Amino acid sequence: MPKITKTEEQWREDLSPDQYEVLRCGATERPFTGEYVHAKDDGTYRCAACGTELFSSDTKFDSGTGWPSFTDPVNTQNVELLQDTGHGMVRTEVRCANCGGHLGHVFDDGPGPGGMRYCINSLALDLDA
């Protein structure tokens, strides 16, 4: 259950129209169009809706998929994983545990010891360099 609760009107005021579509409506940005797809800067990626720390640049890798990809969240308590059966497939959706914002999806085809690939929309992130 999200800790931050706002009305949809408040979210619309706080987010850009594109961020609102991704974070509040579960949309996906087009591949290779996001601000952070090729970013190599050091820092912490935070939720664009509430500022919660989500991912470290230390865990970011180039998956070739067109979205920023990470092997692990900064803290597993900061993300919520939910089954997503939309679009005729079964996936695991990733949401911000603090505000409930849709971040992207996680897949079990990543590098590293955990083997996970958190595939996250740039519009859902802010880089705190």
Side-chain angles (χ1 to χ4, degrees):
M1 178 106 176
K3 299 171 188 151
I4 292 177
T5 55
K6 294 182 181 184
T7 66
E8 289 308 306
E9 185 176 305
Q10 288 171 316
W11 283 119
R12 284 186 191 277
E13 290 174 9
D14 292 347
L15 301 169
S16 74
D18 288 339
Q19 286 177 318
Y20 180 85
E21 285 302 312
V22 168
L23 287 157
R24 305 311 307 165
C25 301
T28 301
E29 65 194 8
R30 290 185 331 241
F32 301 103
T33 63
E35 177 180 0
Y36 300 121
V37 175
H38 302 292
K40 305 280 190 223
D41 300 326
D42 291 337
T44 300
Y45 289 87
R46 297 178 176 273
C47 176
C50 71
T52 296
E53 289 186 357
L54 298 172
F55 300 97
S56 168
S57 61
D58 293 340
T59 67
K60 188 174 186 292
F61 68 99
D62 183 0
S63 65
T65 61
W67 293 276
S69 297
F70 304 87
T71 56
D72 296 294
V74 169
N75 182 334
T76 57
Q77 299 292 314
N78 293 355
V79 296
E80 181 180 22
L81 304 180
L82 302 165
Q83 186 179 39
D84 176 1
T85 57
H87 304 290
M89 57 186 124
V90 178
R91 302 178 290 177
T92 303
E93 179 185 9
V94 183
R95 289 190 187 178
C96 174
N98 197 41
C99 71
H102 171 77
L103 303 173
H105 292 86
V106 63
F107 303 93
D108 62 0
D109 61 0
M116 304 308 285
R117 172 175 54 94
Y118 287 80
C119 190
I120 307 298
N121 291 286
S122 288
L123 286 165
L125 300 172
D126 278 331
L127 177 58
D128 189 2

